[in-house]
Amino acid sequence: MEDYIEILQRGEADIHFVHPDEFRKFVRDKKNRGLEDKLMDVKEAVKKYVKNGDYLAYDFSSLTRGPQSLIREIIRQRKKNLWVLAKFTLLETVLLAGAGCVDKIDVGFLGFGPYIARKVQEGAVKVYDYSNGSVTYRLVAGAMGIPFMPARDLLGTDTMKHSGGIVVRDPFSKIPVALFPALNPDVSVIHVQEADIYGNARVYGPTVATLETAMASKRVIISAERIVETIEFREHPNWTTVPYYCVDAVVHAPFGAYPGGTQGYYEMDSDHYLKLTSIKTEEEMQKYLEEYIYSVDSHEEFLEKRVGVKRLRELIQNSQILEGYR
Amino acid sequence: MEIEFTDTEFMICNAARLLEDNKTIFVGWGVPQVVAILAEKLYTPNIVQVFEFGAIGPQSRTPFLRGTMGGPSNTYRSLQWCSMNLAFSYAQVGYIDYGMLGAAQIDRYGNINSTMIGDDYSRPKVRFPGSGGGNEVASYCWKTIIVMAHEKRRFVERCDFITSPGHRMDGKTREEVGLPAETGPFRVITSKGMFGFDEETKELKLIGVLKGLTVDDVLDDMGIKPLVADEVVELSPPTPQELKTLREEIDPYGLIISKGAKFKVEL
């Protein structure tokens, strides 16, 4: 056996990469292991933990349990030069790009529609292509404190050429294998059904990469439909999705996933979703941002004045399946 | 009797007839999932759907709703809810029999493009959403089925961008690039016919055409010349039972099945 690993191919993408020891030191020095109250207003959380130029990740999709109220607050505070992980996403990246918050996007799935496509075609945002699996493996490596994750995705494709992965000859099996660099986002925003004031968080339903995203990120903002007592976690420890010490801020955000749905609470608002996905021109986008984000001061005002109690009640009424979500 | 149906209805029915019972199938939103639900209702009651966001074996509710992918109706009564990492790991380790994908372009070896059209990656003529979980499906599942509208421009000698792997990528075999052995595209189902891949050369091979069409009708609408099987079978149009199930139970709002040209065939 040779005493080196043969590199067969290198992807061309710039990567956001944090040395595992740098990340460990950040965790040692900056992550609070005390059971301290982290409940705060969404404005304060975003102001404190999302900085211009940050690498931003979020979990699940625009349709289900996406962190939409946190995304709207990031837009409202007009954060700039973000590098965004677009995994399994339809609306978040589109809105962030429309608001001029984003420079670069690592793509797993870059939905939705003509607006974001045009931004890429014009070169207004720079994209690096991966797949949903390979970006998830990047988060898994980041969450494990290791520099990369080997996997068999993207082999033989142009996606590999434009990703940040490399292909090596595996010293064990001798076959080519892809190595995906660990991803440690500066900040991640995650919406959950239940959290306590310390940041213990519980997700019902498929998780996508909730825990991996939280563990891999330097700063984590959790928004929750409901704030519950810590005893709820101690009674069912199997159901704790994210433990408190990964979390920096907890925001109480009923309807936090709107216009998407949250399982066990409310269904998605299809009309609002269609309104968003039918945006084509810059003018339409700016009109939407002004009406639904800039012109309201908070998530509460957005719900009151732009959505309304009647519509919210309908969305609750549409959410009648509770199996698995309680 | 005459039967009328859309391109999409034909593709869905034809794909549903291909699946075997007691197998697992990796599906995404839209046509692939409607195929799995139709197969479950009519042909393969024990087929197990797997979703990338982490749902195994749901008994998806119908009618099929817009935007329900990870929501309660679609993931209803799953056997397991898990993470994306696990869902793809089940496929990478070999548990997933079928994968089903769409494609903007396909080439002779079954490579597919769902990323961009054009020759400049940094300034594409048309940008699509990219791989999503498509690359994993095409890389890991034992048999991948590709479902796509039959249009001349979609069949190309070399995809503008290979998003997900076929049998040969720029001359290299799947095993040469490190992909799992004995995997790859199994069938390509279009709105006019069905293709397999030659056992020796792994090239696209026409094996079936929709009743009422000739082999030349199908070949004329392709940007490449595929191999043609010695015996090309006639593919039946959707049966009344298939159409009733699709239109009344699964997709009464026509979110998926109403797309594409309308077709009439004399039964």
Side-chain angles (χ1 to χ4, degrees):
Chain A
M1 188 190 287
E2 290 94 353
D3 57 0
Y4 62 90
I5 292 181
E6 184 189 354
I7 293 177
L8 303 171
Q9 188 187 355
R10 277 181 192 278
E12 293 166 359
D14 298 331
I15 56 169
H16 174 84
F17 185 76
V18 180
H19 190 292
D21 278 333
E22 190 197 321
F23 191 75
R24 280 178 56 85
K25 284 181 207 164
F26 184 92
V27 169
R28 181 186 64 193
D29 300 336
K30 303 280 176 63
K31 299 295 276 193
N32 187 353
R33 258 85 82 200
L35 282 168
E36 284 174 25
D37 185 351
K38 296 168 192 157
L39 193 61
M40 62 183 83
D41 178 64
V42 61
K43 274 196 171 50
E44 186 190 350
V46 170
K47 198 167 193 171
K48 213 166 162 181
Y49 293 118
V50 184
K51 301 180 302 298
N52 291 338
D54 269 358
Y55 192 105
L56 171 75
Y58 42 83
D59 195 41
F60 218 166
S61 86
S62 317
L63 310 179
T64 308
R65 201 177 50 72
Q68 308 302 342
S69 67
L70 292 170
I71 295 287
R72 283 189 290 265
E73 184 59 30
I74 289 169
I75 292 171
R76 199 174 286 119
Q77 293 191 18
R78 300 187 190 250
K79 301 292 179 184
K80 291 273 178 266
N81 309 117
L82 300 176
W83 188 345
V84 173
L85 176 61
K87 161 178 54 80
F88 209 69
T89 179
L90 302 172
L91 304 179
E92 295 89 342
T93 318
V94 181
L95 288 176
L96 288 165
C101 304
V102 178
D103 289 349
K104 297 174 186 171
I105 305 174
D106 285 334
V107 175
F109 180 87
L110 187 59
F112 199 105
Y115 182 84
I116 191 75
R118 186 166 53 77
K119 285 278 178 192
V120 178
Q121 286 153 211
E122 289 171 353
V125 292
K126 194 165 171 50
V127 294
Y128 306 105
D129 270 279
Y130 294 83
S131 58
N132 282 351
S134 50
V135 293
T136 303
Y137 292 144
R138 289 192 64 189
L139 289 169
V140 171
M144 289 176 74
I146 54 177
F148 62 82
M149 176 62 74
R152 304 177 82 179
D153 314 41
L154 307 195
L155 294 164
T157 65
D158 293 319
T159 316
M160 175 58 86
K161 285 180 202 156
H162 293 282
S163 77
I166 67 173
V167 182
V168 302
R169 191 167 298 284
D170 165 37
F172 296 100
S173 64
K174 306 288 169 58
I175 59 174
V177 67
L179 307 182
F180 296 107
L183 179 56
N184 292 105
D186 292 305
V187 60
S188 63
V189 293
I190 297 170
H191 188 61
V192 303
Q193 278 98 344
E194 296 168 358
D196 70 7
I197 59 172
Y198 308 119
N200 291 302
R202 184 185 285 164
V203 158
Y204 295 86
T207 55
V208 186
T210 312
L211 176 60
E212 295 91 327
T213 306
M215 281 176 76
S217 299
K218 285 186 170 174
R219 296 300 188 186
V220 177
I221 305 174
I222 294 274
S223 63
E225 289 295 327
R226 175 177 280 170
I227 305 297
V228 299
E229 289 196 333
T230 303
I231 189 73
E232 296 294 328
F233 292 91
R234 296 197 187 275
E235 279 189 338
H236 302 285
N238 262 141
W239 295 358
T240 305
T241 310
V242 180
Y244 76 100
Y245 50 60
C246 295
V247 175
D248 297 281
V250 180
V251 174
H252 182 215
F255 294 100
Y258 180 92
T262 295
Q263 304 102 312
Y265 286 82
Y266 48 91
E267 270 296 317
M268 70 178 286
D269 186 341
S270 297
D271 294 345
H272 194 101
Y273 172 74
L274 284 179
K275 179 186 296 201
L276 262 165
T277 53
S278 63
I279 291 176
K280 289 188 181 66
T281 67
E282 199 55 54
E283 198 187 348
E284 288 164 342
M285 174 57 82
Q286 296 312 317
K287 187 165 171 277
Y288 178 89
L289 292 170
E290 181 57 36
E291 185 175 354
Y292 291 99
I293 300 181
Y294 299 139
S295 71
V296 289
D297 187 52
S298 63
H299 180 53
E300 287 72 21
E301 194 180 332
F302 167 77
L303 294 178
E304 275 173 37
K305 297 192 173 161
R306 300 291 182 267
V307 186
V309 174
K310 183 168 170 289
R311 186 69 183 139
L312 295 176
R313 190 191 59 73
E314 286 165 3
L315 301 177
I316 295 172
Q317 188 181 311
N318 291 345
S319 173
Q320 298 187 6
I321 299 174
L322 283 183
E323 274 185 26
Y325 306 123
R326 59 185 168 187
Chain B
M1 192 180 100
E2 205 176 52
I3 193 156
E4 192 179 51
F5 52 91
T6 66
D7 281 352
T8 309
E9 285 171 329
F10 168 63
M11 292 191 284
I12 288 169
C13 297
N14 198 17
R17 298 170 198 156
L18 269 186
L19 303 175
E20 300 163 279
D21 206 9
N22 297 302
K23 300 284 184 192
T24 47
I25 179 167
F26 216 113
V27 291
W29 192 84
V31 168
Q33 211 209 339
V34 173
V35 170
I37 297 174
L38 181 67
E40 186 186 9
K41 285 187 187 289
L42 296 184
Y43 303 121
T44 55
N46 304 301
I47 193 126
V48 174
Q49 296 183 70
V50 176
F51 294 142
E52 60 173 330
F53 49 78
I56 315 297
Q59 296 177 337
S60 300
R61 290 268 193 107
T62 52
F64 189 75
L65 301 171
R66 191 191 299 283
T68 181
M69 195 67 206
S73 157
N74 215 25
T75 63
Y76 190 63
R77 297 203 160 169
S78 297
L79 295 168
Q80 186 186 21
W81 286 333
C82 62
S83 66
M84 182 176 271
N85 171 26
L86 269 182
F88 285 135
S89 295
Y90 289 138
Q92 190 164 226
V93 81
Y95 280 103
I96 313 303
D97 299 299
Y98 291 102
M100 196 165 290
L101 292 171
Q105 284 182 330
I106 187 166
D107 70 22
R108 184 175 297 284
Y109 293 104
N111 296 301
I112 62 178
N113 178 6
S114 50
T115 303
M116 53 156 276
I117 301 291
D119 49 22
D120 180 359
Y121 175 71
S122 62
R123 288 281 195 288
K125 273 193 203 136
V126 186
R127 173 73 206 196
F128 304 119
S131 162
N135 179 275
E136 283 75 23
V137 171
S139 297
Y140 297 159
C141 296
W142 288 108
K143 291 177 175 178
T144 309
I145 297 169
I146 297 152
V147 180
M148 57 188 285
H150 195 104
E151 294 171 20
K152 197 166 205 149
R153 62 190 176 131
R154 289 175 183 262
F155 294 91
V156 294
E157 276 303 337
R158 207 285 186 190
C159 290
D160 290 8
F161 190 103
I162 297 178
T163 309
S164 304
H167 286 291
R168 295 240 160 95
M169 288 70 67
D170 297 326
K172 288 191 177 149
T173 66
R174 286 175 75 88
E175 292 191 34
E176 281 166 351
V177 302
L179 288 163
E182 297 176 31
T183 57
F186 168 62
R187 291 285 183 269
V188 179
I189 289 173
T190 75
S191 39
K192 295 193 168 174
M194 180 158 72
F195 300 82
F197 293 86
D198 186 78
E199 269 185 40
E200 292 295 312
T201 68
K202 298 290 181 190
E203 285 174 89
L204 196 66
K205 185 192 256 184
L206 181 66
I207 58 175
V209 299
L210 170 59
K211 181 182 165 89
L213 297 178
T214 66
V215 167
D216 282 340
D217 289 338
V218 175
L219 297 181
D220 285 350
D221 254 349
M222 297 178 69
I224 56 174
K225 229 178 156 40
L227 303 177
V228 178
D230 295 339
E231 273 188 57
V232 176
V233 300
E234 180 185 271
L235 305 170
S236 333
T239 65
Q241 189 194 23
E242 286 170 339
L243 287 178
K244 187 171 152 63
T245 308
L246 279 177
R247 292 171 185 176
E248 291 177 21
E249 283 183 55
I250 301 177
D251 189 15
Y253 309 120
L255 297 175
I256 304 293
I257 63 174
S258 63
K259 296 206 169 82
K262 287 212 167 39
F263 229 86
K264 272 185 199 166
V265 170
E266 197 66 41
L267 283 184

